[in-house]
Amino acid sequence: MMIEVRTTSYRQMVDITARVAAAIEGSGAGLCQVFVPHTTAAVVINESADPDVARDLVAAYEAMVPSIRFAHAEGNSDAHLMSTLLGSSITVPFEGGRLCLGTWQGIFFVELDGPRLRKVRVTLL
Amino acid sequence: MMIEVRTTSYRQMVDITARVAAAIEGSGAGLCQVFVPHTTAAVVINESADPDVARDLVAAYEAMVPSIRFAHAEGNSDAHLMSTLLGSSITVPFEGGRLCLGTWQGIFFVELDGPRLRKVRVTLL
Amino acid sequence: MMIEVRTTSYRQMVDITARVAAAIEGSGAGLCQVFVPHTTAAVVINESADPDVARDLVAAYEAMVPSIRFAHAEGNSDAHLMSTLLGSSITVPFEGGRLCLGTWQGIFFVELDGPRLRKVRVTLL
């Protein structure tokens, strides 16, 4: 199943938990993979209760990019870098048609070179 | 299967390889996912032979947190950050009821905001 | 299936997309896991079109290692660190015997303590 995500900033975390949960409804037990087919974006699991956490993460991702001279002409090597560190996919177990996330966990699409229209693929096993 | 991990420090790596291996005993071949249902902890695979490696990793995780002003009132945004960078889950192939880990690899629960009583979920496919 | 990778530098990204693709040919639909059984190497997905991206990534991984005193006597704690941050495995969905990678995505073995002869395990589900 494909999910579309429209981002509005250069760096942004978009909570897609409800849309992933909808994709597994009625699917029994197994493993759900969420895959980002882009090289300047990522997907992570983290706290969705306090929006300050996502704000802090975005600020920290920016601050962690080293001040070196990048060669890639598009000028977005910082986005490629954080994409490899955060990762292109996550896997989450599910049971009884529900994601086995912890109390504070949500699934976030991480935009690192926006704004753009993005895609996310959900695969069930 | 759920594993409980009691941590004793703010940042700490706990080798859980033997407990994950016990969970797959007699299970033939497939993929084993180890999932952490927390937002201030992680799970990684790395060297378990020399305990200095885990000590160096913990020190490096602390040193990598950027010196910026975080907004999240709980004061543990550093833990949320490293949780997203290290990741909430790993997958390991297994065959003949044994994990296909390399010679030097072990599975570590990474505490980033302890001490706490934590849970880890092991799922087989 | 095992793939062998011979690296030639201390840090290096080796594009293994074609070899992983060959491993899933004729396999229908499912999930492909690529697993690195080493503690000073990693596997990531990122841009394979412009080789400057891989060059920038390698330079950034070096620049991100914190300047702290490491205890591990082998002197390669920087490699262990980046291995845990980048990750020991990736998963990619496949359909009709083809990897569902995005337009710009390739699969890279990341050498962090070379040159060495390395192994990569490909598992299909």
Side-chain angles (χ1 to χ4, degrees), chain B residues 46 50 56 61 91 95 105, chain C residues 33 36 39 71-72 77 80 84:
Chain B
N46 212 259
D50 177 4
D56 285 348
Y61 299 154
T91 53
E95 275 181 10
Q105 287 183 317
Chain C
Q33 188 226 26
V36 170
T39 58
H72 182 45
S77 285
H80 290 291
T84 64

Side-chain angles (χ1 to χ4, degrees), chain C residues 8-48:
Chain C
T8 55
S9 309
Y10 185 67
R11 288 190 189 87
Q12 183 184 1
M13 299 192 66
V14 182
D15 189 334
I16 58 170
T17 315
R19 299 174 72 184
V20 176
I24 66 154
E25 256 184 308
S27 293
L31 204 68
C32 168
Q33 188 226 26
V34 181
F35 180 81
V36 170
H38 307 288
T39 58
T40 55
V43 58
V44 301
I45 297 171
N46 212 259
E47 178 173 334
S48 54

